[in-house]
Amino acid sequence: MKYLIGALVVANLLALAWFNGWMAPLGGDPREPDRIASEIEPQRLRVVPSDRLPADGAPASSSSSGEPSSASPVPEPAPRSAR
């Protein structure tokens, strides 16, 4: 029984070290700083309250240059066939 408790303590200490980033040089950081650093134009992301969204659900065009948005709407799923 004491070996089981000892193994659990060791596992908890390893999890603590992993999630605090202390083991990052050994095999990756769970916080992914490389992925966050490689984001393309993160300053363009805006959080809009749901009460300010258009009623039809279409994204509001925020481009000041008058160019159409390159985003395409999400297609509707195909209806399931009844068997």
Side-chain angles (χ1 to χ4, degrees):
M1 184 60 134
K2 65 182 177 181
Y3 294 114
L4 177 63
I5 292 173
L8 289 174
V9 168
V10 169
N12 281 322
L13 289 173
L14 287 173
L16 175 72
W18 178 266
F19 290 115
N20 282 325
W22 301 334
M23 297 178 66
L26 299 177
D29 190 355
R31 294 172 288 182
E32 303 182 61
D34 295 331
R35 180 187 60 83
I36 294 170
S38 67
E39 287 184 2
I40 300 170
E41 299 184 48
Q43 69 276 8
R44 292 186 61 193
L45 182 66
R46 289 185 309 125
V47 177
V48 180
S50 61
D51 59 343
R52 296 195 52 200
L53 291 176
D56 62 355
S61 104
S62 63
S63 101
S64 60
S65 64
E67 296 177 14
S69 173
S70 62
S72 61
V74 177
E76 292 289 326
R80 288 185 157 177
S81 60
R83 292 184 188 191

